[in-house]
Structure formats: C-alpha cells, structure tokens
Amino acid sequence: MIQSIFILSPTGEVLIERHFRGVTPRSVCEYFWEKASVSLNHHGGLSTTSTAIPDNSLPLYDTVPPIMEITIDDYVDDSTGHGTAEGGMGSSSGGGGAGNSNGNGNGMTKSVYLFSILRDGLSYLAITPGEISPLLILEFLHRVADIFVEYFGSPADESAIKDNFSTVYQLLEETLDNGWPLTTEPNALQAMIRPPTVMGKLQSVVTGGSNAIVSDALPSGTISNMPWRRAGVKHHPNEIYIDIIEEIDAIVDMVGNVISFDVGGSIQVQSNLSGVPDLLLTFKDPSVIDDCSFHPCVRYSRYETDQVLSFVPPDGNFTMMRYRVKPSALQMGFSPPMSCIPQISYISTDGGLSLNGKIDIKITARTISTLFNMASTKKGSVIIEDVAVTIPFPKIVKTANLNVNMGYVLYDEASKVAKWMIGNLDEKNRPQLTGTMKIEGNEKPEQNPPLSISWKIPLSSLSGLSVGGLSVTGETYRPYKGVRNIAKSGRFQFRCS
C-alpha cells in the first residue's frame, strides 16, 4: 500500500503532499533530490535542473533508480499508528518496512521504499512502508500523470498543478483509498470531479472556495461490468482514430554501426462513438507482437485465441495496448533513417598550459532505411519530423560558443547541456553545428558523452505491423475510422569520436 504521495517541481520544491497511512517526513524528498538533481536523464526524461555530470559514467543513462530503499531516523510512532519523523536520512541496506528501536525510548529507525517517475518535468514520488509489487506502484504513478493531462491538458507541468491545487487533491482522494489504487479511469473520475473550467476558476476567485466541482452521485459505470465507459454517451459525428506508435532504443557507434537496439510499441485510440459500440480490430501480421499488455476493455481470451482485439472502448483518449516487437521480426537488423557524424577535438595552447576544444556535428537523412513505408503511394523523399539533438558536454567545459546553419541551439551553462532544435529534415537538408569550447584546466576528458537524438516519421513502421480491419457492431451508425502508423525514437544515442 502507498503511505504518501509527493509531487516535486523541476527545482525540487514540494508542490503536492498527501499522506494516506501515516505521515512521511519531507526529508525523503530532500534525499531523493540530492540524487535526481545530478542526473541528466532521470527515468528517461532530460532533467531541466541538472547541475553536474556524474564522474566515471555516461551522463545520458539513469543515475536515479526508480525504486530506492531508504532509512528514516528518529521515526516516532504515535498511538494511532501514524508516524512523524525528525532527523536525517540514509541509504538503507537490509530488510523491508519493519521499524527497529534505536534505544532512545521514542525514536525508531524505519526503512521505506521510494518509487519515482519523471513526467513533464515533475517528479512523482510514492512512499511504501514495505515490499509491494513495483510495477503496480510505477504504473499507478504514470496513471496519475495521465489523469492530470486529461484534466489540465498537455503538458501537465508545474504551472498546471499550481493553477489547479484543489482539483489535484480531489483527484488523489478518489484514485487512492487508504493507500490502495481505486478509481483510475478518466471517464469515471470526470463523472465525479468535473474538469476545471474558466467559469469555475472565476467563481473560486469571487467566492474564495474550491474550483473543483465534486458530484455526490457515483459514476454510472461504477456498478456496471464496464466501469471504463459512462452511460449515455452521444457524439456527432461519430469517429474513431487509431495510432500505432513504435519507438526504438538504439546505440550507434562512431562510424554509424548500430551496436544494439530494441523496439516497443503502443496503440493509442481516440474514440468519439455514441452508445455502447462493440469493436473488432484485426492485424495483417500479428506474429511480430510479443510481451503485450492491454487496457481492461480488451477481451484477453479473444486475443489469445484469434490474435484480434475485441473491445468496448472508453470515451475519449486511451492506450489500448502496449507491446514489444519480437527479435525474429527484426532479423534484417536496423538501419537508422539518418546519419550523425559528431567530432569533438581538444587542442593544447600556451605550451600545454591551457586547453581549447572544437565541436563539429553533421546530420543527414538517409535514402535507404529499414523502416516500412505505410503510405499507400510514396511521393517524394521521407521527411523526418521534430528532429532535436541533445549534446552533453564534459564538466570540464567552462563555456561553449555554438553556431548552426539550420534551426537553433540553446546552451545551459549550469547543466553543461546544449539542445539543438532542427525541425523537419529531408535528403536535401544538411544541418551542421560547429563551435568552440573553453576548457577548465589542461587535461583532456577520458571520454566524450554520447549525443541523444529524437525524431519522428509519420506513416512509417519499424516492424511492419498494420491494421487489417476495424468493424463496429451494436450500433446502427457508420463511424469515420482513421488509422495511421508513426515511427519515432526512444533513447537514440550516437557515440562521439
């Protein structure tokens, strides 16, 4: 069970604090932030508050584990079983959530488990007093972040949380019951807690009350066999959109060879259908799917038997399925849709007393790639969208002067990280970044940190998975149906020479 929930801002400030089964001291947040603030890639997202690059490690890998066992010193147990704490924190080795007396009569040393994720710059922390299924807690934290996006829009960042404090606390009350996950379906929550509106915020300013409108009635799906869908849904026009989004994690060496890669995907659905439609989704080649998980609306037994998705969808946006691509489906390997040639050199000056550096990065789109083109007709070259390059510099770099011939570049002096936003890239473009670096001292770094590149290619697939058909039964209307494939990067790294 979850004892406490904390939400931290990009600067480590505690924005939200909610306790369910006892009080957890804020010192756990301080302990967490000491480790998270030096991580350039905290749980897959670039930290906006990085202040250093860890010694003797590649900076684009996680330095903060998503699960940590930590110790609370001077833990005081009151008569109701709730705890308060004073004193310090420390990393723990040993058993789970049992408390051990430290001999002073009141204080105790207690071990707890801290689970964390990073979404939209915010750190979501969950504290549990004992061992529990880690995937349950991590998935719940992601679900809470998704709910905030549904209510407040994307991104659900610090400003969105601060503008909707009362709604956030109401949502946490409904999603957890005495520390156990309860209601996490957006449709059911919206029936109980209305999303914030401009009129609601104006009313809260005038009256001084909360802008969260809470219904006294239970949502209609609570006592039905489809709690994810509310009753009486009406739309005009009726339409459903399905996106098959596949991401690839890859490491590419200095000469362009792919060292390792892994492909995962998800099926995102936007459903605006009236009534209670029953849908059947078929694939052209379901054999590439492996290690999949489903939304509760999917009838798992039907998928096990026929490799099809039979479901009654929730209203609105939801993730219907997540999967990994079988290695056997990628026997031809992977050829990146672009090439990147990063070069970082160091030159001694003043007779070896000082050191300067130069950086040169060239990026080109490749004409030949292993991506599947899912468009019905191929017209022109493939356009790579939203191309961005993250360049971490060694911490010995004092400052950098960077220039680009396409897009723009931002350099953060504190974190020693540059972000190069290129935009769309095709075969005709030849983006290049050049620059100089001022080095502190006269010793060269042992290694240059790898670059991280993000990109997206619409109407393309990494595995070739595509929709064979989508049928609707149980309703008389004929909805508009849209399906598309998107290939994009996950952790896509190029090593530097």
Side-chain angles (χ1 to χ4, degrees):
M1 70 293 241
I2 296 175
Q3 178 171 300
S4 303
I5 293 283
F6 295 94
I7 300 178
L8 308 186
S9 72
T11 58
E13 175 190 1
V14 178
L15 299 177
I16 299 296
E17 176 181 356
R18 181 68 177 91
H19 305 285
F20 299 93
R21 303 176 66 92
V23 179
T24 303
R26 284 196 175 188
S27 52
V28 298
C29 301
E30 298 171 2
Y31 176 83
F32 167 80
W33 194 250
E34 287 179 0
K35 297 186 176 295
S37 60
V38 299
S39 175
L40 287 177
N41 197 33
H42 166 43
H43 304 327
L46 186 69
S47 173
T48 58
T49 59
S50 302
T51 57
I53 294 177
D55 294 330
N56 301 324
S57 64
L58 294 177
L60 287 184
Y61 287 96
D62 289 341
T63 59
V64 180
I67 307 170
M68 292 187 289
E69 183 183 7
I70 58 181
T71 301
I72 304 175
D73 296 328
D74 296 333
Y75 187 92
V76 181
D77 214 8
D78 60 25
S79 59
T80 62
H82 299 314
T84 60
E86 301 172 354
M89 299 291 301
S91 61
S92 174
S93 60
N100 299 313
S101 174
N102 60 10
N104 60 10
N106 292 321
M108 300 178 67
T109 299
K110 185 179 181 66
S111 295
V112 297
Y113 292 91
L114 187 151
F115 298 79
S116 63
I117 66 169
L118 180 70
R119 292 282 296 271
D120 293 325
L122 302 180
S123 298
Y124 293 75
L125 311 183
I127 313 300
T128 64
E131 293 187 3
I132 194 172
S133 172
L135 293 181
L136 169 65
I137 306 300
L138 295 175
E139 176 62 24
F140 172 76
L141 292 177
H142 280 292
R143 191 70 63 89
V144 169
D146 292 337
I147 291 170
F148 290 166
V149 171
E150 285 285 334
Y151 268 77
F152 314 134
S154 181
D157 53 11
E158 180 180 2
S159 61
I161 299 297
K162 288 184 175 180
D163 291 342
N164 300 279
F165 269 128
S166 56
T167 305
V168 169
Y169 277 105
Q170 290 288 349
L171 290 171
L172 291 178
E173 289 288 341
E174 298 297 337
T175 54
L176 282 171
D177 180 22
N178 197 30
W180 291 100
L182 180 63
T183 305
T184 57
E185 283 296 330
N187 283 310
L189 288 170
Q190 289 173 9
M192 295 184 289
I193 304 171
R194 297 181 188 175
T197 61
V198 175
M199 290 301 297
K201 292 181 180 180
L202 291 176
Q203 181 181 356
S204 66
V205 171
V206 174
T207 62
S210 170
N211 64 349
I213 303 176
V214 182
S215 173
D216 294 331
L218 287 174
S220 57
T222 303
I223 56 176
S224 73
N225 59 352
M226 290 185 294
W228 56 84
R229 187 174 182 87
R230 64 178 184 266
V233 178
K234 292 184 180 180
H235 287 285
H236 185 76
N238 291 283
E239 53 191 9
I240 182 170
Y241 299 95
I242 298 177
D243 289 344
I244 301 178
I245 303 175
E246 293 184 335
E247 295 188 4
I248 181 166
D249 299 334
I251 299 176
V252 184
D253 65 12
M254 294 173 288
V255 296
N257 297 323
V258 179
I259 299 175
S260 64
F261 67 94
D262 184 69
V263 179
S266 65
I267 299 179
Q268 308 287 338
V269 180
Q270 179 183 350
S271 173
N272 299 317
L273 301 177
S274 305
V276 187
D278 201 320
L279 278 67
L280 183 68
L281 179 69
T282 60
F283 300 105
K284 289 185 178 179
D285 188 11
S287 62
V288 302
I289 298 175
D290 188 21
D291 194 17
C292 48
S293 61
F294 302 95
H295 188 277
C297 70
V298 177
R299 301 180 179 99
Y300 182 68
S301 58
R302 182 71 185 276
Y303 178 80
E304 283 285 286
T305 305
D306 302 325
Q307 299 290 290
V308 298
L309 299 181
S310 175
F311 61 100
V312 176
D315 186 48
N317 301 319
F318 68 100
T319 300
M320 183 166 61
M321 177 182 180
R322 297 184 187 274
Y323 64 92
R324 292 181 65 251
V325 177
K326 289 183 178 179
S328 58
L330 304 169
Q331 291 181 352
M332 299 297 294
F334 170 70
S335 177
M338 67 180 69
S339 63
C340 176
I341 306 175
Q343 293 181 343
I344 300 177
S345 58
Y346 301 94
I347 303 173
S348 298
T349 57
D350 298 333
L353 298 177
S354 61
L355 195 65
N356 292 327
K358 291 184 178 181
I359 182 171
D360 186 358
I361 301 175
K362 298 178 182 178
I363 296 178
T364 56
R366 286 182 170 178
T367 57
I368 300 177
S369 176
T370 53
L371 271 68
F372 292 85
N373 183 15
M374 310 305 290
S376 56
T377 58
K378 185 176 181 180
K379 298 180 180 179
S381 60
V382 174
I383 297 178
I384 308 173
E385 299 181 355
D386 301 334
V387 180
V389 185
T390 302
I391 311 165
F393 290 86
K395 65 178 181 179
I396 62 172
V397 175
K398 295 176 61 177
T399 185
N401 182 20
L402 306 175
N403 299 290
V404 296
N405 65 353
M406 183 176 177
Y408 63 92
V409 61
L410 300 174
Y411 177 70
D412 185 3
E413 292 278 358
S415 61
K416 301 290 192 294
V417 174
K419 192 69 176 289
W420 180 18
M421 308 300 294
I422 298 176
N424 294 348
L425 177 67
D426 58 23
E427 299 171 6
K428 300 178 182 179
N429 302 129
R430 294 292 186 271
Q432 183 177 5
L433 179 146
T434 58
T436 58
M437 300 174 289
K438 291 185 178 180
I439 309 299
E440 183 176 0
N442 57 359
E443 293 186 4
K444 298 181 181 179
E446 295 182 0
Q447 58 182 356
N448 293 314
L451 310 182
S452 179
I453 299 183
S454 61
W455 49 268
K456 179 179 70 174
I457 305 179
L459 304 180
S460 295
S461 173
L462 293 159
S463 65
L465 180 68
S466 61
V467 172
L470 177 63
S471 60
V472 180
T473 58
E475 298 292 339
T476 57
Y477 55 79
R478 298 181 61 184
Y480 174 80
K481 295 173 282 189
V483 179
R484 66 176 178 177
N485 289 73
I486 299 175
K488 61 186 298 187
S489 63
R491 292 192 184 181
F492 205 83
Q493 296 182 351
F494 283 84
R495 292 181 175 175
C496 300
S497 60

